[in-house]
Amino acid sequence: MRMTRVLGAALLTLGLAAAPAAADSSPSPGASGDADAPTRAGTSFRTATEIEQGQTATANASTGDYLYWSFPADTGQRPTVEATVKLPAEHAAETWQIDVYDGLRRRQACRFGAQTRTAAAGAAQVELACALRTVRGWSEPWDGDPLPGTYYVRLTAVDVPTSALGQPVSAEVRVGSQDAGGAAAVDGSLAQPLVPGAGVTRDDEEESGEEALLASLEPDDGWASGWWSDRWVWTGLGGVLAALAGIGGYALTRGAGRPPRVPPSA
Amino acid sequence: MIIRTRLAAGACALLALLAAGVAFPAGAVADEVSATAPKVDLVLDVSGSMRARDIDGQSRMAAAKQAFNEVLDATPEEVRLGIRTLGANYPGDDRRTGCKDTAQLYPVGPLDRTEAKAAVATLSPTGWTPIGPALLKAAEDLDGGEGSKRIVLISDGEDTCAPLDPCEVAREIAAKGIGLTIDTLGLVPNTKLRQQLSCIAEATGGTFTSVEHTEELTDKVNQLVDRAADPVVTPVATDGADRCEKAPALKSGLYTDREEFGQQRWYRVDVRPGQELRASVSVAADRAVNPSYGVLVRAVTVKGREIVRGEAAGTGRTDVVSAGLRYPKAEADDDEDAPAETVCLQVTHSFSAGAGVKTAPGLPLELTVDVVDGPSPARDVASFGLGRGWWLLGALILAGFLAGLVWGWLSRWRVAVWRTN
């Protein structure tokens, strides 16, 4: 009877411990709907249009334009940028590319995804994707790891014949992300996320809502402080299980309580 | 006849202006806003070729007029809009006179829609296509103020006033550091026009669009005017030195500079202990450059030791190449008010000019400097020294079990010892 209770408790705790592991693979919930998604794109880092993760931003532009968007990404996320460019009915073969830059305007590598793709002459659209590395809470200054902060997406035609310059195209950009969970947790954290313009002191009284900022968007629930990871759950449960196992081991060698022949007064 | 109508229109405009002045005496309020108000100058080609009827069955001029009317209706309140024409007045054959033919149709300022529309209605296709001189004048129209400035050039033919290359004119305008963007719209699908207009656009970080329908023209001009109305951070012009000692001291902010081919640019930033320096640099390719390029930004101590560097390289068509670095300066252990360290930032780029391309002025350089509080410390390899995974659980359980075994055995042994005594 007692054995089954112990076993049951152990199974329960094991199940709980497995829960965070299962949660790792679920994608983070999308941001708000596309109702207020931006319908334009910036033309430089300075004028990049801000989008939130989960939003689909659209823009009408011309072949040859450099289109810029920016989005916030936080610790533990694995952002994926997807872009679709709808090309005009008649065009020559042209190559499109997305580049992702971090808040320090350093180009970030794509783990996988068709970052550059050539649309054959007359193709209706071209689809591009770039899956970034995991955003770490901290890295060495000499390192190029993605860090929490603003990310820039640049979409452009990198190889285009002069005859195609200026043709109308429409572009669509989505940013989604997966949560990497505590497996990617590192210790240490940035004093402030890598948001451009973070060091500029502003006069809050003077400026109104229309203030120009290099980047203003934050993740839905603010920037992570960096102390939480599912490692707390793993380690805590490990402690509990170790205690239980300790009790089990003790019971095994110590035997069942005091020997019956020992008088209670002893 | 034409002159007389124009005189009459001018008189009307003057009267309207006076009336506006009387009606809105609160000029002081407007002044404050107008210092940062975005300014847009629409530059319209009114050369003889605009007569051609190839846009939706109507003449190019009619299409442009229709588009202008709709744009004037949709212009946001805060935008100061002006209209300039080129080739509108001189119908003759003298190239020298024809190439000076550019006039301000509607001055850059608060928009009176009726008046602006009336002015546009008077236009009829006439003369030459002096794009270069028109751009120069348009830049003068937009002079002053701190808001964003944009020229929207609408043309149907390449410049007919060589040797003044409009592309170089655009670059020189941009180099004056007044933060001006030129967007171009071509009304004819013609390779030479495309090349010239996209060259003008690229020289200033603008866009080129080829337009074949009136609706496209309206949409695009509206989009560009709206874009001008977006609040953007205006960079501060700075002038980097060729070595650290003479370099300008920068604080947090956004800066622009020019860097010639093969040149070095140095800046200085003061970083106190416990602060973190973040700098990023983009060098824009505003002219035809060879397809391999790079940029290097180094943080160097005053003694010349490199602290950290950011570098980037690329190939192919590009607008900018950018790199960044960050330098967290550790907290001072003993001294509360330890002196700030001067960090020198060195910027070099490895663009090379294409054949026959002018190398002056230098390429535009954009520098962001952020000095934020609090260094970013590293503590442990893992997060707070915590672990995760099944091996961790197994190891903890095993350790706990072994400890329990030993503890149980110990207490049994103690009982046995107690019983024998």
Side-chain angles (χ1 to χ4, degrees):
Chain A
M1 186 61 208
R2 201 167 134 214
M3 198 61 200
T4 49
R5 219 184 302 152
V6 169
L7 211 70
L11 275 177
L12 189 70
T13 45
L14 273 179
L16 278 177
D24 287 355
S25 55
S26 68
S28 66
S32 56
D34 288 343
D36 51 353
T39 53
R40 63 174 91 178
T43 53
S44 67
F45 283 114
R46 197 156 55 85
T47 57
T49 301
E50 293 192 285
I51 58 175
E52 280 183 68
Q53 291 197 14
Q55 275 186 335
T56 303
T58 51
N60 290 321
S62 317
T63 311
D65 285 2
Y66 298 90
L67 304 176
Y68 284 84
W69 291 271
S70 69
F71 67 92
D74 208 351
T75 310
Q77 291 184 327
R78 275 190 189 136
T80 305
V81 182
E82 290 170 325
T84 310
V85 187
K86 295 201 175 63
L87 301 171
E90 285 173 33
H91 63 87
E94 48 195 52
T95 306
W96 286 77
Q97 179 171 314
I98 43 175
D99 291 291
V100 183
Y101 297 85
D102 73 359
L104 286 178
R105 301 188 184 177
R106 298 182 292 193
R107 189 177 165 281
Q108 288 294 329
C110 302
R111 285 182 300 140
F112 54 83
Q115 191 187 358
T116 310
R117 196 171 256 180
T118 304
Q125 63 176 33
V126 53
E127 283 175 15
L128 304 161
C130 173
L132 288 178
R133 290 178 287 171
T134 311
V135 178
R136 307 280 171 173
W138 180 89
S139 80
E140 298 273 0
W142 300 272
D143 208 339
D145 270 353
L147 292 166
T150 305
Y151 283 77
Y152 292 99
V153 181
R154 186 186 76 165
L155 172 67
T156 190
V158 284
D159 188 8
V160 54
T162 314
S163 64
L165 281 179
Q167 286 189 330
V169 293
S170 78
E172 213 178 87
V173 164
R174 285 171 305 282
V175 181
S177 74
Q178 281 199 331
D179 212 338
V186 292
D187 204 2
S189 57
L190 286 189
Q192 286 171 41
L194 279 187
V195 175
V200 181
T201 46
R202 298 191 298 271
D203 317 334
D204 286 330
E205 292 157 27
E206 197 182 315
E207 305 283 357
S208 58
E210 279 289 279
E211 183 188 7
L213 285 176
L214 283 174
S216 60
L217 280 189
E218 287 189 359
D220 278 347
D221 39 3
W223 296 105
S225 58
W227 70 269
W228 173 254
S229 75
D230 66 9
R231 288 172 185 246
W232 287 101
V233 178
W234 279 99
T235 313
L237 276 174
V240 171
L241 286 182
L244 286 177
I247 293 169
Y250 177 82
L252 223 65
T253 42
R254 175 64 181 80
R258 291 161 78 95
R261 275 165 298 155
V262 177
S265 58
Chain B
M1 184 61 208
I2 293 177
I3 290 172
R4 196 172 299 162
T5 15
R6 190 156 290 140
L7 267 177
C12 282
L14 202 69
L15 269 177
L17 268 179
L18 280 175
V22 173
F24 305 106
V29 182
D31 275 357
E32 241 172 65
V33 181
S34 63
T36 55
K39 292 180 178 177
V40 181
D41 207 2
L42 304 176
V43 180
L44 180 63
D45 181 350
V46 197
S47 61
S49 55
M50 288 291 279
R51 268 183 225 115
R53 306 178 73 84
D54 57 0
I55 294 189
D56 295 340
Q58 53 180 347
S59 74
R60 295 171 189 167
M61 196 63 232
K65 279 183 184 175
Q66 192 188 331
F68 266 48
N69 278 340
E70 287 173 40
V71 168
L72 288 171
D73 277 333
T75 303
E77 207 56 44
E78 67 270 27
V79 174
R80 301 283 171 266
L81 191 91
I83 303 172
R84 172 167 282 280
T85 58
L86 55 95
N89 301 324
Y90 177 72
D93 287 337
D94 182 23
R95 216 180 69 106
R96 283 185 64 185
T97 320
C99 286
K100 282 184 199 152
D101 182 9
T102 166
Q104 198 174 48
L105 185 70
Y106 187 83
V108 178
L111 184 63
D112 181 330
R113 294 170 210 276
T114 358
E115 203 181 315
K117 279 183 194 173
V120 171
T122 61
L123 294 175
S124 68
T126 311
W128 295 67
T129 313
I131 293 181
L135 289 180
L136 279 176
K137 290 283 185 190
E140 280 173 25
D141 294 348
L142 295 175
D143 215 7
E146 292 160 15
S148 65
K149 302 185 185 78
R150 201 169 269 272
I151 294 175
V152 180
L153 170 68
I154 301 160
S155 179
D156 70 332
E158 68 266 27
D159 188 74
T160 49
C161 296
L164 187 64
D165 182 3
C167 214
E168 271 166 27
V169 170
R171 210 169 290 139
E172 270 158 30
I173 292 173
K176 282 181 193 156
I178 53 173
L180 191 147
T181 315
I182 303 177
D183 295 289
T184 53
L185 290 112
L187 297 177
V188 180
N190 153 343
T191 310
K192 228 178 154 193
L193 178 69
R194 264 194 185 136
Q195 266 169 350
Q196 186 162 70
L197 291 185
S198 61
C199 177
I200 293 173
E202 267 172 31
T204 59
T207 59
F208 162 66
T209 309
S210 173
V211 173
E212 280 161 41
H213 302 285
T214 318
E215 199 182 318
E216 279 173 17
L217 182 63
T218 314
D219 286 352
K220 194 68 199 181
V221 180
N222 263 333
Q223 190 188 1
L224 293 172
V225 173
D226 279 350
R227 198 176 273 169
D230 274 351
V232 288
V233 184
T234 345
V236 180
T238 181
D239 193 15
D242 58 354
R243 53 175 205 271
C244 185
E245 297 85 73
K246 294 197 291 182
L250 303 183
K251 292 191 164 58
S252 293
L254 181 67
Y255 301 91
T256 56
D257 197 357
R258 290 267 159 178
E259 181 170 9
E260 286 185 16
F261 294 91
Q263 207 181 22
Q264 293 186 11
R265 284 308 216 186
W266 288 84
Y267 310 92
R268 285 191 303 176
V269 186
D270 283 342
V271 186
R272 285 203 316 276
Q275 286 188 321
E276 181 173 309
L277 165 69
R278 294 167 179 179
S280 52
V281 168
S282 347
V283 178
D286 66 346
R287 63 202 78 179
V289 289
N290 292 326
S292 291
Y293 42 81
V295 63
L296 170 70
V297 50
R298 302 199 308 145
V300 178
T301 62
V302 277
K303 298 235 171 93
R305 180 181 71 83
E306 177 179 304
I307 305 166
V308 58
R309 66 165 66 185
E311 51 198 339
T315 59
R317 184 175 175 270
T318 193
D319 55 344
V320 291
V321 56
S322 60
L325 57 81
R326 62 190 189 92
Y327 166 46
K329 187 164 169 61
E331 301 263 11
D333 291 332
D334 43 354
D335 201 353
E336 275 295 298
D337 1 276
E341 180 189 357
T342 300
V343 176
C344 306
L345 287 174
Q346 181 201 29
V347 180
T348 53
H349 69 79
S350 59
F351 276 106
S352 55
V357 172
K358 272 197 181 177
T359 54
L363 297 177
L365 181 154
E366 194 173 289
L367 175 72
T368 66
V369 174
D370 283 313
V371 181
V372 299
D373 282 331
S376 307
R379 287 185 286 259
D380 198 329
V381 189
S383 178
F384 294 92
L386 301 171
R388 75 186 293 283
W390 298 109
W391 282 98
L392 172 79
L393 286 195
L396 284 176
I397 292 170
L398 189 67
F401 181 71
L402 289 179
L405 277 186
V406 170
W407 193 250
W409 179 78
L410 268 181
S411 55
R412 179 176 243 177
W413 175 72
R414 265 184 58 216
V415 170
V417 167
W418 170 77
R419 276 177 58 205
T420 42
N421 291 347

